[in-house]
């Protein structure tokens, strides 16, 4: 009972997905009711045949034919109705799972970036694929089985009481025992099934990790280590799976079969001790037939418990993902008119960190300026860029874009006005054109302008199909530098007011890098450029260079000013010159 109360919110929430298909569901239940009724009438016909023909030894061709034809018609009707309801329940379940997966994907796409930083991707994929499949079984298998079994049990019990109330009462002993078994099974199975789902998602995560990092694993001879890791996780999954199977094997079908046999013995004993006229042969046959029919739905309901528990646990995991607070954006839908940036007393730290990644950051950037963030690895440059993109919100302090607080700018306006070119470009398995435009409709004139600015034309011309060349997964059929050029073109398509380059030219040859820098300086009169760089030669022409160290700003100025004061920037620049 406690488990039912505990999991009722999950079941209630899952049941809401059935509401759009209520009429179809009721029709399916009607077919089930009709099929069960057809099935139950069969033994009554046989009982009637035994009573009127065999016991009286009076042969009537009409009665025999009537019984045979009626029995065959009932059985065929029952089969057709069960088949039809099965199709309906499967149709409902497929549509429900489509809607559920749509909701999960919609929710997943709106999750804050920090969630992807803290959760293994394999676990998220497992929730979207495996867990939704487990929930599907709730609708097409469990729901159909429970409704079918409930209807069948009800009709069988009515028929039993009509035939003999004494034997019906003995048979009813099964029902409270089955309920007790189901409650006991729930108490023991839920923790085990949660462990099974956990280790299954862990297997997905580890396989995902191995496939994505296979080149590093082979390069550093780590095959044995990862093989051992997978074996250990698989063994833990197997261990808990066996616990669930043993529990199921003991508490469900074998135990219920034993109880059913004991009740049958009780009915036989009642026949022996009772008056010989109390129980007719036909009635006894019908009762034995009904007892097997009563036994089967009860076994079916109890055997659905593992699937039901899996579905509830999976539903919990799905809703846990869907209920994660979404990234909050403002309501200002107007695009930024200028690229002005003002940061005041900004502090930020990641959830798992004890120390601030950024501390007391104060920056005032005028529109259409070229600004550079430089510093050692881990100084907070990329974190600052991610904050400007709105991927994370400051813990304290403020960020203003075009004199508007970043928290008040809508998602659409922020993404259209601020673009980032990252060090590790993301390439989709699609054409070069689709990778640049991401499905946006743009004119040929605008496309050619972007291709010239990003210096992609020589790359495109090297392929037979040109811009319609299909790239492989992660762009494995092109170089890292070519991927970077595509990501630069992708960012420029938006005509952003603020363009952030996070080591965007690190993987490009020096000649192309210089050409791109010239192109970027041409758009400076319309866009504020923020460049994060380790190669200080690339930022010499910046209007202002901001030097970060351990999350704090330690120097500000242009190249000449910073060289003149001979501090951190000077040391970094000289060390690169020596190299």
């Amino acid at each position: 009972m406690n488990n039912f109360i505990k999991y009722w919110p999950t079941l209630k929430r899952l049941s809401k997905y059935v509401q759009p298909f209520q009429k179809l569901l009721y029709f399916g239940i009607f077919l089930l009711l009709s099929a069960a009724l057809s099935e139950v009438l069969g033994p009554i016909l046989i009982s009637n045949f035994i009573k009127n023909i065999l016991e009286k030894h009076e042969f009537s061709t009409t009665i025999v034919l009537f019984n045979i034809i009626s029995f065959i018609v009932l059985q065929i009707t029952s089969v057709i109705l069960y088949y039809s309801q099965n199709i309906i329940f499967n149709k409902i379940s497929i549509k429900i799972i489509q809607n559920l997966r749509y909701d999960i994907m919609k929710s997943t796409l709106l999750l804050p970036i920090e969630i992807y930083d803290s959760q293994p991707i394999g676990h998220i994929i497992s929730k979207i694929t495996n867990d939704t499949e487990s929930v599907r079984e709730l609708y097409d298998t469990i729901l159909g089985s429970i409704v079918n079994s409930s209807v069948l049990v009800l009709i069988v019990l009515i028929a039993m009481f009509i035939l003999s109330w004494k034997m019906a009462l003995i048979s009813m002993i099964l029902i409270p025992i089955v309920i007790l078994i189901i409650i006991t099974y729930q108490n023991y199975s839920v923790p085990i099934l949660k462990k099974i789902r956990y280790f299954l998602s862990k297997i997905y995560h580890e396989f995902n990790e191995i496939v994505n990092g296979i080149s590093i694993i082979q390069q550093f001879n780590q095959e044995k280590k990862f093989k051992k890791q997978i074996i250990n996780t698989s063994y833990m999954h197997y261990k808990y799976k066996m616990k669930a199977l043993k529990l199921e094997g003991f508490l469900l079908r074998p135990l219920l079969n034993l109880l059913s046999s004991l009740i049958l013995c009780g009915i036989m004993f009642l026949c022996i001790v009772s008056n010989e006229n109390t129980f007719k042969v036909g009635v006894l046959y019908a009762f034995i037939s009904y007892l097997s029919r009563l036994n089967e739905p009860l076994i079916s309901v109890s055997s659905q418990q593992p699937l039901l528990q899996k579905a509830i646990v999976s539903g919990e995991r799905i809703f846990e993902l869907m209920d994660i607070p979404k990234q909050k954006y403002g309501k200002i839908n107007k695009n930024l008119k200028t690229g002005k940036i003002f940061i005041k007393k900004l502090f930020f730290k990641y959830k798992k960190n004890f120390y601030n990644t950024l501390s007391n950051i104060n920056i005032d950037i005028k529109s259409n300026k070229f600004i550079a963030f430089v510093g050692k690895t881990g100084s907070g440059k990329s974190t600052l860029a991610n904050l400007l993109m709105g991927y994370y919100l400051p813990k304290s302090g403020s960020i203003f874009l075009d004199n508007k607080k970043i928290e008040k700018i809508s998602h659409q306006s922020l993404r259209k006005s601020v673009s980032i070119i990252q060090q590790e470009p993301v390439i989709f398995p699609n054409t070069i054109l689709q990778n640049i435009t991401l499905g946006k409709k743009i004119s040929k004139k605008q496309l050619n302008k972007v291709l010239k600015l990003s210096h992609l034309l020589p790359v495109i011309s090297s392929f037979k199909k040109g811009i319609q060349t299909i790239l492989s997964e992660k762009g494995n059929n092109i170089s890292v530098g070519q991927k970077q050029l595509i990501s630069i073109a992708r960012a420029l398509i938006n005509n952003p007011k603020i363009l952030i380059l996070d080591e965007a030219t690190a993987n490009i040859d020096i000649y192309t890098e210089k050409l791109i820098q010239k192109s970027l300086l041409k758009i400076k009169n319309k866009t504020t450029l923020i460049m994060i760089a380790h190669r200080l030669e690339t930022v010499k022409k910046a209007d202002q260079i901001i030097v970060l160290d351990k999350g704090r700003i330690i120097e500000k100025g242009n190249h000449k000013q910073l060289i003149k004061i001979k501090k951190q920037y000077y040391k970094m620049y000289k060390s690169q010159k020596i190299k």
Side-chain angles (χ1 to χ4, degrees):
M1 189 66 186
N2 288 336
N3 271 337
F4 179 78
I5 294 167
K6 183 182 175 183
Y7 296 118
W8 172 243
T10 303
L11 284 168
K12 187 181 178 183
R13 202 164 165 186
L14 286 169
S15 68
K16 287 181 180 177
Y17 283 90
V18 184
Q19 286 176 0
F21 314 104
Q22 275 185 344
K23 288 182 181 178
L24 197 59
L25 179 66
Y26 291 147
F27 180 61
I29 292 170
F30 170 75
L31 292 179
L32 260 178
L33 187 67
S34 305
L37 194 61
S38 301
E39 190 178 343
V40 169
L41 287 172
I44 291 175
L45 283 171
I46 300 296
S47 175
N48 184 58
F49 175 77
I50 293 168
K51 180 183 175 182
N52 293 309
I53 303 296
L54 298 181
E55 284 185 4
K56 293 180 180 180
H57 302 287
E58 293 177 4
F59 184 82
S60 171
T61 307
T62 306
I63 294 172
V64 170
L65 285 172
F66 173 78
N67 276 276
I68 290 170
I69 292 166
S70 298
F71 185 79
I72 291 169
V73 168
L74 283 171
Q75 296 307 304
I76 291 170
T77 303
S78 177
V79 168
I80 292 168
L81 290 171
Y82 275 130
Y83 171 77
S84 301
Q85 70 82 24
N86 191 41
I87 294 293
I88 286 169
F89 274 89
N90 273 285
K91 188 178 180 181
I92 291 169
S93 69
I94 290 165
K95 286 183 176 180
I96 286 170
I97 293 307
Q98 278 181 338
N99 292 343
L100 184 60
R101 280 194 175 139
Y102 170 78
D103 286 350
I104 297 167
M105 282 310 302
K106 185 181 175 183
S107 177
T108 306
L109 290 168
L110 296 174
L111 289 177
I113 297 295
E114 61 187 315
I115 299 300
Y116 294 98
D117 293 340
S118 59
Q119 282 199 34
I121 298 300
H123 286 199
I124 295 172
I125 292 168
S126 178
K127 287 175 184 179
I128 296 168
T129 54
N130 280 345
D131 287 337
T132 50
E133 277 303 301
S134 295
V135 171
R136 183 185 63 80
E137 290 177 340
L138 173 68
Y139 298 107
D140 69 358
T141 305
I142 302 166
L143 183 62
S145 176
I146 289 171
V147 172
N148 179 34
S149 300
S150 303
V151 168
L152 199 57
V153 166
L154 183 65
I155 292 173
V156 165
L157 284 173
I158 291 167
M160 279 180 160
F161 273 100
I162 291 168
L163 291 169
S164 172
W165 66 270
K166 289 179 182 178
M167 287 195 285
L169 284 173
I170 294 171
S171 302
M172 278 190 73
I173 295 168
L174 257 179
I175 295 171
I177 295 172
V178 168
I179 293 168
L180 183 64
I181 289 169
I182 288 170
I183 291 168
T184 307
Y185 177 81
Q186 282 181 338
N187 286 331
Y188 286 101
S189 67
V190 171
I192 296 170
L193 290 167
K194 280 189 174 181
K195 287 284 184 183
I196 290 169
R197 302 308 298 175
Y198 168 75
F199 284 112
L200 184 63
S201 64
K202 195 178 179 189
I203 288 168
Y204 265 79
H205 167 63
E206 286 175 0
F207 270 118
N208 184 59
E209 195 177 51
I210 289 166
V211 171
N212 285 329
I214 191 67
S215 58
I216 301 297
I217 291 166
Q218 290 182 351
Q219 182 185 339
F220 292 96
N221 197 26
Q222 293 295 302
E223 292 91 343
K224 286 182 180 178
K225 177 192 168 184
F226 281 91
K227 183 182 176 183
K228 188 179 178 182
Q229 187 177 307
I230 280 287
I231 289 169
N232 288 339
T233 308
S234 298
Y235 172 74
M236 292 304 293
H237 178 260
Y238 161 79
K239 181 182 171 183
Y240 281 100
K241 191 81 174 172
M242 287 306 297
K243 279 186 180 181
L245 290 171
K246 285 175 184 177
L247 187 67
E248 184 183 334
F250 174 70
L251 284 177
L252 300 182
R253 187 173 284 272
L255 186 58
L256 288 170
N257 280 330
L258 175 64
L259 290 169
S260 180
S261 300
L262 290 172
I263 286 169
L264 182 59
C265 291
I267 291 171
M268 290 169 69
F269 179 75
L270 189 65
C271 291
I272 294 165
V273 298
S274 299
N275 189 320
E276 61 178 20
N277 292 321
T278 304
F279 298 107
K280 302 291 183 183
V281 176
V283 173
L284 189 60
Y285 164 79
F287 242 88
I288 292 169
S289 178
Y290 283 143
L291 187 62
S292 65
R293 280 175 167 80
L294 182 66
N295 187 33
E296 192 52 44
L298 291 174
I299 289 171
S300 177
V301 168
S302 59
S303 64
Q304 295 301 323
Q305 286 303 299
L307 293 176
L308 179 60
Q309 293 302 319
K310 274 173 66 179
I312 291 169
V313 170
S314 296
E316 271 191 321
R317 282 161 52 86
I318 288 167
F319 293 133
E320 184 185 279
L321 180 67
M322 288 170 66
D323 291 341
I324 294 171
K326 306 300 177 286
Q327 181 76 49
K328 291 181 181 178
Y329 293 97
K331 294 182 180 179
I332 299 173
N333 284 316
K334 292 180 181 178
N335 295 334
L336 302 185
K337 291 180 180 179
T338 69
K340 186 182 178 183
I341 301 168
F342 180 64
I343 302 172
K344 184 181 179 183
K345 294 180 181 177
L346 177 71
F347 288 82
F348 177 80
K349 73 171 183 177
Y350 293 101
K351 278 187 177 180
K352 292 183 180 180
N353 288 0
F354 296 106
Y355 56 88
N356 286 326
T357 308
L358 293 170
S359 299
N360 197 28
I361 303 295
N362 294 280
I363 304 171
D364 188 3
I365 301 170
K366 303 298 180 187
S367 187
N368 305 336
K369 294 292 181 181
F370 176 16
I371 307 298
F373 295 153
V374 301
K376 295 176 183 176
T377 301
S379 59
K381 304 182 298 296
S382 294
T383 300
L384 189 52
N386 287 330
L387 285 165
L388 289 171
M389 286 296 296
Y391 292 154
Y392 302 94
L393 293 175
K395 301 305 173 190
S396 65
S398 304
I399 298 174
F400 293 87
L401 303 180
D402 189 25
N403 297 320
K404 300 175 187 76
K405 250 193 171 185
I406 195 167
E407 295 94 328
K408 293 183 179 180
I409 301 171
S410 71
H411 178 253
Q412 189 179 358
S413 298
L414 194 61
R415 293 291 161 259
K416 199 168 183 181
S417 303
V418 187
S419 291
I420 188 169
I421 304 167
Q422 293 170 323
Q423 188 175 355
E424 295 179 9
V426 176
I427 300 295
F428 299 100
N430 212 319
T431 63
I432 294 173
L433 178 63
Q434 285 297 319
N435 267 282
I436 294 168
T437 62
L438 297 179
K440 293 173 188 171
K441 290 182 180 180
I442 59 166
S443 64
K444 283 187 178 181
K445 187 179 178 181
Q446 189 185 352
L447 179 64
N448 286 329
K449 184 183 176 182
V450 166
L451 293 176
K452 284 177 183 176
L453 282 170
S454 59
H455 295 274
L456 252 179
L457 286 173
V459 174
I460 290 167
S461 62
S462 67
F463 295 110
K464 284 183 180 179
K465 293 184 179 179
I467 203 164
Q468 296 299 332
T469 300
I470 295 174
L471 304 177
S472 63
E473 190 177 354
K474 294 183 181 180
N476 291 329
N477 56 341
I478 58 173
S479 70
V480 178
Q482 289 170 334
K483 292 181 200 177
Q484 203 82 65
L485 294 175
I486 289 170
S487 69
I488 290 168
R490 184 189 294 160
L492 293 174
I493 283 288
N494 282 337
N495 290 320
K497 286 295 175 185
I498 299 168
L499 179 61
I500 303 166
L501 296 95
D502 188 357
E503 291 287 347
T505 57
N507 298 311
I508 300 168
D509 63 89
I510 293 169
Y511 175 72
T512 308
E513 182 183 35
K514 285 180 178 178
L515 290 174
I516 288 169
Q517 281 185 339
K518 283 182 181 178
S519 299
L520 291 173
L521 288 171
K522 286 178 186 176
I523 65 166
K524 202 184 78 166
N525 60 333
K526 293 181 180 179
T527 303
T528 299
L529 292 177
I530 296 175
M531 184 177 283
I532 296 167
H534 280 109
R535 289 209 304 250
L536 301 183
E537 280 291 330
T538 60
V539 300
K540 282 174 73 175
K541 292 183 180 179
D543 297 308
Q544 188 180 43
I545 299 167
I546 297 168
V547 185
L548 290 157
D549 185 50
K550 295 178 182 178
R552 293 180 179 274
I553 295 173
I554 57 170
E555 291 175 45
K556 283 182 187 179
N558 59 34
H559 176 74
K560 287 182 180 178
Q561 289 169 342
L562 294 176
I563 289 293
K564 193 175 182 180
I565 60 174
K566 294 187 177 181
K567 289 186 178 179
Q568 184 68 32
Y569 179 82
Y570 174 81
K571 289 175 185 176
M572 290 166 64
Y573 184 74
K574 285 296 178 184
S575 66
Q576 288 184 12
K577 277 289 183 182
I578 292 166
K579 288 177 185 178

